[in-house]
Amino acid sequence: MPASRVSAATIAARLSAVGLPARVEEYARFTSVEADVPESLSIESWKEVLEAVAEADRFGLLATSLNGRTLRAVVHKPVPTTGDVGGPSHQR
């Protein structure tokens, strides 16, 4: 399993342990972890959430009056080395 997927799964598990069921989505360049955040989250839970998302490459909180609050953490996938970009037929 790629390191980005392991990191994202760890973040998702930690968020779920705090009571925030997380969604993990794979993209070409990164893995995303998202969770809806209730208004009533305790200070202790916020500390756990911040410690969990601190493991990500980027994270943020989107708050709107229509959709509530959504936490998002992104873990970048490794960029292939120059020799691997074109596959075996393109290596020198």
Side-chain angles (χ1 to χ4, degrees), residues 10-50:
T10 301
I11 292 168
R14 290 181 70 183
L15 292 176
S16 294
V18 176
L20 304 179
R23 302 173 296 279
V24 178
E25 295 187 32
E26 293 287 330
Y27 295 93
R29 296 185 184 161
F30 60 90
T31 304
S32 173
V33 180
E34 293 185 1
D36 296 325
V37 181
E39 292 287 332
S40 61
L41 196 64
S42 70
I43 292 172
E44 293 79 22
S45 293
W46 268 116
K47 289 179 183 176
E48 293 289 329
V49 166
L50 291 174

PDB file of all heavy atoms in Angstrom, residues 10-50:
ATOM      1  N   THR A  10      -4.477   6.467   8.330  1.00  0.00           N
ATOM      2  CA  THR A  10      -4.178   6.748   9.741  1.00  0.00           C
ATOM      3  C   THR A  10      -4.908   8.004  10.201  1.00  0.00           C
ATOM      4  O   THR A  10      -5.500   8.026  11.285  1.00  0.00           O
ATOM      5  CB  THR A  10      -2.660   6.902   9.945  1.00  0.00           C
ATOM      6  OG1 THR A  10      -2.019   5.690   9.544  1.00  0.00           O
ATOM      7  CG2 THR A  10      -2.321   7.209  11.387  1.00  0.00           C
ATOM      8  N   ILE A  11      -4.883   9.044   9.387  1.00  0.00           N
ATOM      9  CA  ILE A  11      -5.589  10.283   9.718  1.00  0.00           C
ATOM     10  C   ILE A  11      -7.087  10.008   9.834  1.00  0.00           C
ATOM     11  O   ILE A  11      -7.741  10.441  10.792  1.00  0.00           O
ATOM     12  CB  ILE A  11      -5.310  11.373   8.668  1.00  0.00           C
ATOM     13  CG1 ILE A  11      -3.843  11.808   8.733  1.00  0.00           C
ATOM     14  CG2 ILE A  11      -6.244  12.575   8.855  1.00  0.00           C
ATOM     15  CD1 ILE A  11      -3.384  12.655   7.561  1.00  0.00           C
ATOM     16  N   ALA A  12      -7.638   9.270   8.869  1.00  0.00           N
ATOM     17  CA  ALA A  12      -9.068   8.946   8.888  1.00  0.00           C
ATOM     18  C   ALA A  12      -9.441   8.156  10.138  1.00  0.00           C
ATOM     19  O   ALA A  12     -10.476   8.419  10.767  1.00  0.00           O
ATOM     20  CB  ALA A  12      -9.445   8.176   7.630  1.00  0.00           C
ATOM     21  N   ALA A  13      -8.605   7.207  10.530  1.00  0.00           N
ATOM     22  CA  ALA A  13      -8.873   6.404  11.728  1.00  0.00           C
ATOM     23  C   ALA A  13      -8.848   7.269  12.982  1.00  0.00           C
ATOM     24  O   ALA A  13      -9.697   7.110  13.869  1.00  0.00           O
ATOM     25  CB  ALA A  13      -7.850   5.275  11.839  1.00  0.00           C
ATOM     26  N   ARG A  14      -7.899   8.191  13.057  1.00  0.00           N
ATOM     27  CA  ARG A  14      -7.823   9.078  14.224  1.00  0.00           C
ATOM     28  C   ARG A  14      -9.028  10.007  14.292  1.00  0.00           C
ATOM     29  O   ARG A  14      -9.557  10.263  15.377  1.00  0.00           O
ATOM     30  CB  ARG A  14      -6.521   9.874  14.197  1.00  0.00           C
ATOM     31  CG  ARG A  14      -5.300   8.991  14.456  1.00  0.00           C
ATOM     32  CD  ARG A  14      -4.023   9.771  14.460  1.00  0.00           C
ATOM     33  NE  ARG A  14      -3.960  10.622  15.642  1.00  0.00           N
ATOM     34  CZ  ARG A  14      -2.950  11.467  15.881  1.00  0.00           C
ATOM     35  NH1 ARG A  14      -1.961  11.556  15.024  1.00  0.00           N
ATOM     36  NH2 ARG A  14      -2.962  12.208  16.961  1.00  0.00           N
ATOM     37  N   LEU A  15      -9.483  10.511  13.141  1.00  0.00           N
ATOM     38  CA  LEU A  15     -10.670  11.364  13.125  1.00  0.00           C
ATOM     39  C   LEU A  15     -11.902  10.567  13.534  1.00  0.00           C
ATOM     40  O   LEU A  15     -12.742  11.051  14.306  1.00  0.00           O
ATOM     41  CB  LEU A  15     -10.864  11.985  11.742  1.00  0.00           C
ATOM     42  CG  LEU A  15      -9.816  13.004  11.302  1.00  0.00           C
ATOM     43  CD1 LEU A  15     -10.090  13.448   9.873  1.00  0.00           C
ATOM     44  CD2 LEU A  15      -9.774  14.197  12.244  1.00  0.00           C
ATOM     45  N   SER A  16     -12.016   9.347  13.037  1.00  0.00           N
ATOM     46  CA  SER A  16     -13.150   8.499  13.394  1.00  0.00           C
ATOM     47  C   SER A  16     -13.156   8.181  14.886  1.00  0.00           C
ATOM     48  O   SER A  16     -14.218   8.114  15.503  1.00  0.00           O
ATOM     49  CB  SER A  16     -13.128   7.208  12.579  1.00  0.00           C
ATOM     50  OG  SER A  16     -13.348   7.489  11.214  1.00  0.00           O
ATOM     51  N   ALA A  17     -11.972   8.009  15.465  1.00  0.00           N
ATOM     52  CA  ALA A  17     -11.870   7.730  16.901  1.00  0.00           C
ATOM     53  C   ALA A  17     -12.383   8.893  17.746  1.00  0.00           C
ATOM     54  O   ALA A  17     -12.857   8.691  18.864  1.00  0.00           O
ATOM     55  CB  ALA A  17     -10.424   7.405  17.269  1.00  0.00           C
ATOM     56  N   VAL A  18     -12.291  10.106  17.200  1.00  0.00           N
ATOM     57  CA  VAL A  18     -12.790  11.299  17.896  1.00  0.00           C
ATOM     58  C   VAL A  18     -14.295  11.454  17.680  1.00  0.00           C
ATOM     59  O   VAL A  18     -14.936  12.267  18.316  1.00  0.00           O
ATOM     60  CB  VAL A  18     -12.030  12.561  17.397  1.00  0.00           C
ATOM     61  CG1 VAL A  18     -12.569  13.824  18.007  1.00  0.00           C
ATOM     62  CG2 VAL A  18     -10.555  12.440  17.683  1.00  0.00           C
ATOM     63  N   GLY A  19     -14.855  10.660  16.779  1.00  0.00           N
ATOM     64  CA  GLY A  19     -16.281  10.749  16.504  1.00  0.00           C
ATOM     65  C   GLY A  19     -16.623  11.476  15.221  1.00  0.00           C
ATOM     66  O   GLY A  19     -17.762  11.884  15.009  1.00  0.00           O
ATOM     67  N   LEU A  20     -15.616  11.660  14.355  1.00  0.00           N
ATOM     68  CA  LEU A  20     -15.828  12.303  13.062  1.00  0.00           C
ATOM     69  C   LEU A  20     -15.612  11.275  11.955  1.00  0.00           C
ATOM     70  O   LEU A  20     -14.485  11.054  11.514  1.00  0.00           O
ATOM     71  CB  LEU A  20     -14.847  13.472  12.867  1.00  0.00           C
ATOM     72  CG  LEU A  20     -14.843  14.566  13.917  1.00  0.00           C
ATOM     73  CD1 LEU A  20     -13.803  15.615  13.569  1.00  0.00           C
ATOM     74  CD2 LEU A  20     -16.212  15.191  14.040  1.00  0.00           C
ATOM     75  N   PRO A  21     -16.675  10.610  11.514  1.00  0.00           N
ATOM     76  CA  PRO A  21     -16.511   9.636  10.428  1.00  0.00           C
ATOM     77  C   PRO A  21     -15.873  10.307   9.208  1.00  0.00           C
ATOM     78  O   PRO A  21     -16.336  11.348   8.758  1.00  0.00           O
ATOM     79  CB  PRO A  21     -17.939   9.185  10.124  1.00  0.00           C
ATOM     80  CG  PRO A  21     -18.722   9.526  11.356  1.00  0.00           C
ATOM     81  CD  PRO A  21     -18.060  10.732  11.941  1.00  0.00           C
ATOM     82  N   ALA A  22     -14.802   9.730   8.723  1.00  0.00           N
ATOM     83  CA  ALA A  22     -14.027  10.354   7.649  1.00  0.00           C
ATOM     84  C   ALA A  22     -14.236   9.626   6.331  1.00  0.00           C
ATOM     85  O   ALA A  22     -14.453   8.420   6.289  1.00  0.00           O
ATOM     86  CB  ALA A  22     -12.549  10.359   8.011  1.00  0.00           C
ATOM     87  N   ARG A  23     -14.144  10.396   5.252  1.00  0.00           N
ATOM     88  CA  ARG A  23     -14.211   9.876   3.888  1.00  0.00           C
ATOM     89  C   ARG A  23     -12.825  10.023   3.264  1.00  0.00           C
ATOM     90  O   ARG A  23     -12.222  11.095   3.353  1.00  0.00           O
ATOM     91  CB  ARG A  23     -15.230  10.672   3.068  1.00  0.00           C
ATOM     92  CG  ARG A  23     -16.625  10.663   3.660  1.00  0.00           C
ATOM     93  CD  ARG A  23     -17.568  11.598   2.932  1.00  0.00           C
ATOM     94  NE  ARG A  23     -17.237  13.016   2.999  1.00  0.00           N
ATOM     95  CZ  ARG A  23     -17.516  13.820   4.032  1.00  0.00           C
ATOM     96  NH1 ARG A  23     -18.101  13.335   5.112  1.00  0.00           N
ATOM     97  NH2 ARG A  23     -17.209  15.099   3.995  1.00  0.00           N
ATOM     98  N   VAL A  24     -12.345   8.968   2.634  1.00  0.00           N
ATOM     99  CA  VAL A  24     -11.035   8.995   1.985  1.00  0.00           C
ATOM    100  C   VAL A  24     -11.259   8.869   0.482  1.00  0.00           C
ATOM    101  O   VAL A  24     -11.963   7.967   0.038  1.00  0.00           O
ATOM    102  CB  VAL A  24     -10.124   7.855   2.484  1.00  0.00           C
ATOM    103  CG1 VAL A  24      -8.790   7.871   1.762  1.00  0.00           C
ATOM    104  CG2 VAL A  24      -9.926   7.949   3.986  1.00  0.00           C
ATOM    105  N   GLU A  25     -10.669   9.790  -0.282  1.00  0.00           N
ATOM    106  CA  GLU A  25     -10.792   9.764  -1.734  1.00  0.00           C
ATOM    107  C   GLU A  25      -9.406   9.839  -2.372  1.00  0.00           C
ATOM    108  O   GLU A  25      -8.570  10.627  -1.945  1.00  0.00           O
ATOM    109  CB  GLU A  25     -11.656  10.928  -2.225  1.00  0.00           C
ATOM    110  CG  GLU A  25     -13.099  10.829  -1.758  1.00  0.00           C
ATOM    111  CD  GLU A  25     -13.986  11.880  -2.379  1.00  0.00           C
ATOM    112  OE1 GLU A  25     -13.728  12.269  -3.533  1.00  0.00           O
ATOM    113  OE2 GLU A  25     -14.925  12.307  -1.699  1.00  0.00           O
ATOM    114  N   GLU A  26      -9.215   9.012  -3.394  1.00  0.00           N
ATOM    115  CA  GLU A  26      -7.951   8.971  -4.130  1.00  0.00           C
ATOM    116  C   GLU A  26      -8.040   9.868  -5.358  1.00  0.00           C
ATOM    117  O   GLU A  26      -9.028   9.821  -6.089  1.00  0.00           O
ATOM    118  CB  GLU A  26      -7.653   7.545  -4.580  1.00  0.00           C
ATOM    119  CG  GLU A  26      -7.367   6.582  -3.461  1.00  0.00           C
ATOM    120  CD  GLU A  26      -6.015   6.795  -2.824  1.00  0.00           C
ATOM    121  OE1 GLU A  26      -5.086   7.255  -3.516  1.00  0.00           O
ATOM    122  OE2 GLU A  26      -5.891   6.494  -1.631  1.00  0.00           O
ATOM    123  N   TYR A  27      -7.002  10.649  -5.579  1.00  0.00           N
ATOM    124  CA  TYR A  27      -6.870  11.474  -6.771  1.00  0.00           C
ATOM    125  C   TYR A  27      -5.511  11.159  -7.393  1.00  0.00           C
ATOM    126  O   TYR A  27      -4.697  10.461  -6.795  1.00  0.00           O
ATOM    127  CB  TYR A  27      -6.973  12.964  -6.416  1.00  0.00           C
ATOM    128  CG  TYR A  27      -8.337  13.337  -5.891  1.00  0.00           C
ATOM    129  CD1 TYR A  27      -8.602  13.332  -4.527  1.00  0.00           C
ATOM    130  CD2 TYR A  27      -9.363  13.687  -6.762  1.00  0.00           C
ATOM    131  CE1 TYR A  27      -9.857  13.663  -4.044  1.00  0.00           C
ATOM    132  CE2 TYR A  27     -10.621  14.023  -6.286  1.00  0.00           C
ATOM    133  CZ  TYR A  27     -10.859  14.009  -4.927  1.00  0.00           C
ATOM    134  OH  TYR A  27     -12.112  14.337  -4.445  1.00  0.00           O
ATOM    135  N   ALA A  28      -5.253  11.683  -8.578  1.00  0.00           N
ATOM    136  CA  ALA A  28      -4.010  11.375  -9.281  1.00  0.00           C
ATOM    137  C   ALA A  28      -2.773  11.782  -8.482  1.00  0.00           C
ATOM    138  O   ALA A  28      -1.799  11.032  -8.413  1.00  0.00           O
ATOM    139  CB  ALA A  28      -3.994  12.058 -10.647  1.00  0.00           C
ATOM    140  N   ARG A  29      -2.797  12.940  -7.868  1.00  0.00           N
ATOM    141  CA  ARG A  29      -1.603  13.466  -7.194  1.00  0.00           C
ATOM    142  C   ARG A  29      -1.669  13.468  -5.678  1.00  0.00           C
ATOM    143  O   ARG A  29      -0.680  13.774  -5.017  1.00  0.00           O
ATOM    144  CB  ARG A  29      -1.337  14.885  -7.674  1.00  0.00           C
ATOM    145  CG  ARG A  29      -1.010  14.943  -9.138  1.00  0.00           C
ATOM    146  CD  ARG A  29      -0.642  16.324  -9.557  1.00  0.00           C
ATOM    147  NE  ARG A  29      -0.419  16.373 -10.990  1.00  0.00           N
ATOM    148  CZ  ARG A  29      -0.432  17.458 -11.696  1.00  0.00           C
ATOM    149  NH1 ARG A  29      -0.653  18.617 -11.114  1.00  0.00           N
ATOM    150  NH2 ARG A  29      -0.219  17.410 -12.994  1.00  0.00           N
ATOM    151  N   PHE A  30      -2.823  13.151  -5.105  1.00  0.00           N
ATOM    152  CA  PHE A  30      -2.949  13.181  -3.647  1.00  0.00           C
ATOM    153  C   PHE A  30      -4.100  12.299  -3.187  1.00  0.00           C
ATOM    154  O   PHE A  30      -4.933  11.864  -3.972  1.00  0.00           O
ATOM    155  CB  PHE A  30      -3.147  14.614  -3.138  1.00  0.00           C
ATOM    156  CG  PHE A  30      -4.388  15.292  -3.677  1.00  0.00           C
ATOM    157  CD1 PHE A  30      -5.592  15.204  -3.011  1.00  0.00           C
ATOM    158  CD2 PHE A  30      -4.335  16.023  -4.855  1.00  0.00           C
ATOM    159  CE1 PHE A  30      -6.732  15.818  -3.505  1.00  0.00           C
ATOM    160  CE2 PHE A  30      -5.465  16.657  -5.352  1.00  0.00           C
ATOM    161  CZ  PHE A  30      -6.670  16.545  -4.675  1.00  0.00           C
ATOM    162  N   THR A  31      -4.114  12.044  -1.880  1.00  0.00           N
ATOM    163  CA  THR A  31      -5.220  11.354  -1.225  1.00  0.00           C
ATOM    164  C   THR A  31      -5.858  12.350  -0.277  1.00  0.00           C
ATOM    165  O   THR A  31      -5.166  13.047   0.463  1.00  0.00           O
ATOM    166  CB  THR A  31      -4.719  10.122  -0.452  1.00  0.00           C
ATOM    167  OG1 THR A  31      -4.011   9.267  -1.358  1.00  0.00           O
ATOM    168  CG2 THR A  31      -5.859   9.355   0.174  1.00  0.00           C
ATOM    169  N   SER A  32      -7.184  12.446  -0.310  1.00  0.00           N
ATOM    170  CA  SER A  32      -7.918  13.417   0.487  1.00  0.00           C
ATOM    171  C   SER A  32      -8.712  12.722   1.587  1.00  0.00           C
ATOM    172  O   SER A  32      -9.297  11.666   1.362  1.00  0.00           O
ATOM    173  CB  SER A  32      -8.877  14.198  -0.423  1.00  0.00           C
ATOM    174  OG  SER A  32      -9.726  15.032   0.331  1.00  0.00           O
ATOM    175  N   VAL A  33      -8.716  13.320   2.769  1.00  0.00           N
ATOM    176  CA  VAL A  33      -9.521  12.844   3.891  1.00  0.00           C
ATOM    177  C   VAL A  33     -10.460  13.982   4.273  1.00  0.00           C
ATOM    178  O   VAL A  33      -9.999  15.103   4.518  1.00  0.00           O
ATOM    179  CB  VAL A  33      -8.640  12.469   5.106  1.00  0.00           C
ATOM    180  CG1 VAL A  33      -9.498  11.966   6.260  1.00  0.00           C
ATOM    181  CG2 VAL A  33      -7.593  11.442   4.725  1.00  0.00           C
ATOM    182  N   GLU A  34     -11.760  13.711   4.313  1.00  0.00           N
ATOM    183  CA  GLU A  34     -12.735  14.736   4.664  1.00  0.00           C
ATOM    184  C   GLU A  34     -13.637  14.226   5.780  1.00  0.00           C
ATOM    185  O   GLU A  34     -13.952  13.033   5.840  1.00  0.00           O
ATOM    186  CB  GLU A  34     -13.593  15.123   3.464  1.00  0.00           C
ATOM    187  CG  GLU A  34     -12.828  15.833   2.387  1.00  0.00           C
ATOM    188  CD  GLU A  34     -13.721  16.319   1.252  1.00  0.00           C
ATOM    189  OE1 GLU A  34     -14.951  16.123   1.320  1.00  0.00           O
ATOM    190  OE2 GLU A  34     -13.178  16.893   0.306  1.00  0.00           O
ATOM    191  N   ALA A  35     -14.053  15.143   6.649  1.00  0.00           N
ATOM    192  CA  ALA A  35     -14.976  14.802   7.734  1.00  0.00           C
ATOM    193  C   ALA A  35     -15.824  16.028   8.048  1.00  0.00           C
ATOM    194  O   ALA A  35     -15.323  17.156   8.037  1.00  0.00           O
ATOM    195  CB  ALA A  35     -14.210  14.364   8.977  1.00  0.00           C
ATOM    196  N   ASP A  36     -17.098  15.791   8.316  1.00  0.00           N
ATOM    197  CA  ASP A  36     -17.982  16.869   8.749  1.00  0.00           C
ATOM    198  C   ASP A  36     -17.736  17.119  10.227  1.00  0.00           C
ATOM    199  O   ASP A  36     -17.607  16.176  11.015  1.00  0.00           O
ATOM    200  CB  ASP A  36     -19.446  16.491   8.502  1.00  0.00           C
ATOM    201  CG  ASP A  36     -19.736  16.328   7.016  1.00  0.00           C
ATOM    202  OD1 ASP A  36     -19.146  17.078   6.207  1.00  0.00           O
ATOM    203  OD2 ASP A  36     -20.536  15.445   6.668  1.00  0.00           O
ATOM    204  N   VAL A  37     -17.659  18.400  10.608  1.00  0.00           N
ATOM    205  CA  VAL A  37     -17.352  18.781  11.981  1.00  0.00           C
ATOM    206  C   VAL A  37     -18.586  19.429  12.615  1.00  0.00           C
ATOM    207  O   VAL A  37     -19.049  20.461  12.133  1.00  0.00           O
ATOM    208  CB  VAL A  37     -16.156  19.767  12.031  1.00  0.00           C
ATOM    209  CG1 VAL A  37     -15.831  20.140  13.465  1.00  0.00           C
ATOM    210  CG2 VAL A  37     -14.943  19.174  11.340  1.00  0.00           C
ATOM    211  N   PRO A  38     -19.112  18.834  13.689  1.00  0.00           N
ATOM    212  CA  PRO A  38     -20.284  19.419  14.342  1.00  0.00           C
ATOM    213  C   PRO A  38     -19.930  20.696  15.106  1.00  0.00           C
ATOM    214  O   PRO A  38     -18.771  20.901  15.496  1.00  0.00           O
ATOM    215  CB  PRO A  38     -20.743  18.321  15.305  1.00  0.00           C
ATOM    216  CG  PRO A  38     -19.511  17.539  15.593  1.00  0.00           C
ATOM    217  CD  PRO A  38     -18.669  17.604  14.343  1.00  0.00           C
ATOM    218  N   GLU A  39     -20.907  21.532  15.320  1.00  0.00           N
ATOM    219  CA  GLU A  39     -20.704  22.779  16.074  1.00  0.00           C
ATOM    220  C   GLU A  39     -20.297  22.505  17.519  1.00  0.00           C
ATOM    221  O   GLU A  39     -19.624  23.304  18.145  1.00  0.00           O
ATOM    222  CB  GLU A  39     -21.986  23.619  16.051  1.00  0.00           C
ATOM    223  CG  GLU A  39     -22.345  24.170  14.689  1.00  0.00           C
ATOM    224  CD  GLU A  39     -21.440  25.308  14.267  1.00  0.00           C
ATOM    225  OE1 GLU A  39     -20.899  26.027  15.134  1.00  0.00           O
ATOM    226  OE2 GLU A  39     -21.260  25.466  13.048  1.00  0.00           O
ATOM    227  N   SER A  40     -20.710  21.373  18.044  1.00  0.00           N
ATOM    228  CA  SER A  40     -20.523  21.080  19.472  1.00  0.00           C
ATOM    229  C   SER A  40     -19.255  20.292  19.792  1.00  0.00           C
ATOM    230  O   SER A  40     -19.182  19.651  20.829  1.00  0.00           O
ATOM    231  CB  SER A  40     -21.740  20.303  19.985  1.00  0.00           C
ATOM    232  OG  SER A  40     -21.855  19.080  19.278  1.00  0.00           O
ATOM    233  N   LEU A  41     -18.257  20.340  18.946  1.00  0.00           N
ATOM    234  CA  LEU A  41     -17.028  19.587  19.192  1.00  0.00           C
ATOM    235  C   LEU A  41     -16.276  20.181  20.375  1.00  0.00           C
ATOM    236  O   LEU A  41     -16.038  21.394  20.432  1.00  0.00           O
ATOM    237  CB  LEU A  41     -16.147  19.599  17.929  1.00  0.00           C
ATOM    238  CG  LEU A  41     -15.027  18.578  17.875  1.00  0.00           C
ATOM    239  CD1 LEU A  41     -15.582  17.160  17.854  1.00  0.00           C
ATOM    240  CD2 LEU A  41     -14.176  18.810  16.644  1.00  0.00           C
ATOM    241  N   SER A  42     -15.891  19.338  21.320  1.00  0.00           N
ATOM    242  CA  SER A  42     -15.218  19.812  22.539  1.00  0.00           C
ATOM    243  C   SER A  42     -13.786  20.267  22.252  1.00  0.00           C
ATOM    244  O   SER A  42     -13.198  19.909  21.230  1.00  0.00           O
ATOM    245  CB  SER A  42     -15.180  18.699  23.587  1.00  0.00           C
ATOM    246  OG  SER A  42     -14.280  17.681  23.182  1.00  0.00           O
ATOM    247  N   ILE A  43     -13.233  21.014  23.163  1.00  0.00           N
ATOM    248  CA  ILE A  43     -11.851  21.493  23.036  1.00  0.00           C
ATOM    249  C   ILE A  43     -10.882  20.312  22.994  1.00  0.00           C
ATOM    250  O   ILE A  43      -9.944  20.298  22.198  1.00  0.00           O
ATOM    251  CB  ILE A  43     -11.494  22.453  24.185  1.00  0.00           C
ATOM    252  CG1 ILE A  43     -12.295  23.735  24.035  1.00  0.00           C
ATOM    253  CG2 ILE A  43     -10.003  22.734  24.231  1.00  0.00           C
ATOM    254  CD1 ILE A  43     -12.171  24.689  25.202  1.00  0.00           C
ATOM    255  N   GLU A  44     -11.130  19.299  23.821  1.00  0.00           N
ATOM    256  CA  GLU A  44     -10.267  18.116  23.835  1.00  0.00           C
ATOM    257  C   GLU A  44     -10.310  17.404  22.486  1.00  0.00           C
ATOM    258  O   GLU A  44      -9.286  16.944  21.979  1.00  0.00           O
ATOM    259  CB  GLU A  44     -10.684  17.148  24.953  1.00  0.00           C
ATOM    260  CG  GLU A  44     -10.459  17.681  26.348  1.00  0.00           C
ATOM    261  CD  GLU A  44     -11.536  18.670  26.804  1.00  0.00           C
ATOM    262  OE1 GLU A  44     -12.671  18.654  26.243  1.00  0.00           O
ATOM    263  OE2 GLU A  44     -11.238  19.470  27.690  1.00  0.00           O
ATOM    264  N   SER A  45     -11.506  17.311  21.888  1.00  0.00           N
ATOM    265  CA  SER A  45     -11.631  16.677  20.585  1.00  0.00           C
ATOM    266  C   SER A  45     -10.926  17.493  19.509  1.00  0.00           C
ATOM    267  O   SER A  45     -10.288  16.933  18.612  1.00  0.00           O
ATOM    268  CB  SER A  45     -13.106  16.488  20.225  1.00  0.00           C
ATOM    269  OG  SER A  45     -13.706  15.557  21.098  1.00  0.00           O
ATOM    270  N   TRP A  46     -11.021  18.833  19.594  1.00  0.00           N
ATOM    271  CA  TRP A  46     -10.322  19.687  18.627  1.00  0.00           C
ATOM    272  C   TRP A  46      -8.820  19.448  18.688  1.00  0.00           C
ATOM    273  O   TRP A  46      -8.141  19.409  17.665  1.00  0.00           O
ATOM    274  CB  TRP A  46     -10.621  21.168  18.873  1.00  0.00           C
ATOM    275  CG  TRP A  46     -11.778  21.676  18.103  1.00  0.00           C
ATOM    276  CD1 TRP A  46     -12.958  22.140  18.596  1.00  0.00           C
ATOM    277  CD2 TRP A  46     -11.890  21.782  16.673  1.00  0.00           C
ATOM    278  NE1 TRP A  46     -13.790  22.517  17.567  1.00  0.00           N
ATOM    279  CE2 TRP A  46     -13.159  22.308  16.377  1.00  0.00           C
ATOM    280  CE3 TRP A  46     -11.040  21.460  15.618  1.00  0.00           C
ATOM    281  CZ2 TRP A  46     -13.600  22.536  15.075  1.00  0.00           C
ATOM    282  CZ3 TRP A  46     -11.477  21.685  14.315  1.00  0.00           C
ATOM    283  CH2 TRP A  46     -12.737  22.222  14.058  1.00  0.00           C
ATOM    284  N   LYS A  47      -8.294  19.273  19.900  1.00  0.00           N
ATOM    285  CA  LYS A  47      -6.862  19.002  20.034  1.00  0.00           C
ATOM    286  C   LYS A  47      -6.490  17.703  19.322  1.00  0.00           C
ATOM    287  O   LYS A  47      -5.480  17.638  18.621  1.00  0.00           O
ATOM    288  CB  LYS A  47      -6.472  18.929  21.513  1.00  0.00           C
ATOM    289  CG  LYS A  47      -6.493  20.267  22.207  1.00  0.00           C
ATOM    290  CD  LYS A  47      -6.129  20.126  23.668  1.00  0.00           C
ATOM    291  CE  LYS A  47      -6.232  21.445  24.381  1.00  0.00           C
ATOM    292  NZ  LYS A  47      -5.962  21.318  25.828  1.00  0.00           N
ATOM    293  N   GLU A  48      -7.299  16.671  19.508  1.00  0.00           N
ATOM    294  CA  GLU A  48      -7.060  15.392  18.834  1.00  0.00           C
ATOM    295  C   GLU A  48      -7.151  15.545  17.318  1.00  0.00           C
ATOM    296  O   GLU A  48      -6.337  14.992  16.576  1.00  0.00           O
ATOM    297  CB  GLU A  48      -8.076  14.346  19.304  1.00  0.00           C
ATOM    298  CG  GLU A  48      -7.933  13.950  20.750  1.00  0.00           C
ATOM    299  CD  GLU A  48      -6.696  13.108  21.003  1.00  0.00           C
ATOM    300  OE1 GLU A  48      -6.281  12.355  20.093  1.00  0.00           O
ATOM    301  OE2 GLU A  48      -6.141  13.208  22.102  1.00  0.00           O
ATOM    302  N   VAL A  49      -8.142  16.297  16.855  1.00  0.00           N
ATOM    303  CA  VAL A  49      -8.329  16.521  15.416  1.00  0.00           C
ATOM    304  C   VAL A  49      -7.111  17.224  14.829  1.00  0.00           C
ATOM    305  O   VAL A  49      -6.581  16.824  13.796  1.00  0.00           O
ATOM    306  CB  VAL A  49      -9.619  17.335  15.156  1.00  0.00           C
ATOM    307  CG1 VAL A  49      -9.662  17.863  13.729  1.00  0.00           C
ATOM    308  CG2 VAL A  49     -10.846  16.492  15.456  1.00  0.00           C
ATOM    309  N   LEU A  50      -6.647  18.276  15.508  1.00  0.00           N
ATOM    310  CA  LEU A  50      -5.492  19.022  15.003  1.00  0.00           C
ATOM    311  C   LEU A  50      -4.223  18.176  15.003  1.00  0.00           C
ATOM    312  O   LEU A  50      -3.407  18.280  14.089  1.00  0.00           O
ATOM    313  CB  LEU A  50      -5.299  20.306  15.799  1.00  0.00           C
ATOM    314  CG  LEU A  50      -6.390  21.358  15.583  1.00  0.00           C
ATOM    315  CD1 LEU A  50      -6.182  22.538  16.518  1.00  0.00           C
ATOM    316  CD2 LEU A  50      -6.426  21.815  14.139  1.00  0.00           C
TER     317      LEU A  50
END
